[in-house]
Amino acid sequence: MKKTIRLNVNGEEWDVDVEPSDTLLEVLRGKIGIKSPKVGCERGDCGSCTVLLDGKSVRSCLVLAIEADGRGIITVEGLSKDGPNELQRAFIEHNAFQCGFCAPGVVLAVSELLAKRPHPSRDDVKEAISGNLCRCTGYEPIIDAVIDLTAKGEE
Amino acid sequence: MDRPASACAPRWESPATLAEAAEILRDAAGSARAIAGGTDLAVRIRRAEERPDVLVDLGRIENSDGVELRPEAGAIGRMEIGALATHATLAEHPLVREHANVLAEACRTVGAPQVRSRGTIGGNLANASPAADGVVALLALDAAVWVQSASSCAGDAGAVPIVDFLTGPGESVLRDDELIGGIVFDRPSPAARSVYVKAGQRNALAIAIASVAAIFEPDAGIVRIALGSVAPTPVRAGDAEALFESDWRGGADPETLFDAVAAAAAAASSPIDDVRATARYRRILTEALTRSALDRICLRKA
């Protein structure tokens, strides 16, 4: 039984028809054409489908699109409308991703952290990205990128 | 994403109150499922393991996600937690951290931030996993569950103790037309110290291989110990608690007593071999985790 829902995605309003069982991940990728949330495990384990829902990071494979009706979603496309933002540039400088599959989710999880805590500790960063699996970097370059960026702001 | 059309096309209902939600469940006569955070149910629906005709969205219900301490309900005070409180909320809530630290710690070990921000304590209970971290803590707290049905308000018929609520892996006394309204427990004594210790394959994103929730009340000289992932439901280690109570005040050597209590806790487990670990390993873990919990809550200077 299809229902029309309204999503604000990266500042743009979208009216889309969804089945109640469609996940937010499917709707973002298949109906809106936002491809940065990746289809990884589809069971909430890997974090590669992370998006911000009303500012909170969630796994878009575990959220039904209809639950997001009337709410705001941010993906990395929304962070980098004018090219990579400073967090993304720090990732590039530190080689903080290799294959890149986890990167959108990691960037959003860190963005949520930095909105609450602009100068996090290494442990804060580890906790924030604890739900995002990366099989390339060993995580250290990711943490280095965040700490390097946020320590700069402190001076 | 290219994949077959959705395995089920349920009707979506978004009631404004728990009572309305219970009425929808009653009218659907077993073909509806309530969905809160969705962290378990969304996966089962996608895999067509569940094909409900109606999905009852609890996400738009207000005033059922709060935490309150009611001092008037007895000298000690009573904690009341709405079923829709998320793990993230309970992990950080000042009242929970101050009066029921074991629950805050347990909620902090669930999944990852993105799961904790969605998953609710009511869902954790309704799902009735033997490994449910929050439920192990609630069992140690002697919590009880308010059940809401279409014909009765939550709390009307009194609350169901968790020990009676859970009946097996994935099974509880909750009927198809009932919802969890909230959870209630007496606040442990102000001097109490509590801890949740969990062993999994890694620190984050791990389902417990074994876990222990323990509360020490120095004034009464008692501990409460609940075990997770080592029986068909979370279980209390009653013999271990009795042993502690009889010997702690008698001035027993703590090291010897803690060893004996930990062994008694392991004896209270009835684990199985599964993909995460063997039964034998779980028994050894239960003993070690209990020992570690006792060290941390009984010996720390007040």
Side-chain angles (χ1 to χ4, degrees), chain A residues 10 57 77 92 128:
Chain A
N10 298 324
S57 67
E77 286 87 344
I92 294 165

Side-chain angles (χ1 to χ4, degrees), chain A residues 20-21 26 42-43 127, chain B residues 3 6 8 10 46-47 116:
Chain A
S21 53
E26 291 171 304
E42 285 189 276
R43 47 180 245 188
E127 172 62 23
Chain B
R3 60 183 306 159
S6 183
C8 70
R46 289 310 306 163
R47 292 181 177 173
R116 296 196 288 273

Side-chain angles (χ1 to χ4, degrees), chain A residues 21-81:
Chain A
S21 53
D22 290 344
T23 64
L24 181 58
L25 175 63
E26 291 171 304
V27 170
L28 286 172
R29 291 181 60 92
K31 299 205 164 155
I32 298 182
I34 294 275
K35 303 286 190 181
S36 70
K38 296 290 182 271
V39 184
C41 67
E42 285 189 276
R43 47 180 245 188
D45 283 341
C46 75
S48 63
C49 66
T50 299
V51 302
L52 299 182
L53 179 61
D54 286 347
K56 278 190 185 168
S57 67
V58 299
R59 284 154 156 43
S60 62
C61 75
L62 295 182
V63 178
L64 299 177
I66 198 167
E67 293 181 274
D69 188 10
R71 302 171 70 179
I73 293 143
I74 300 285
T75 68
V76 283
E77 286 87 344
L79 301 182
S80 48
K81 285 183 176 164

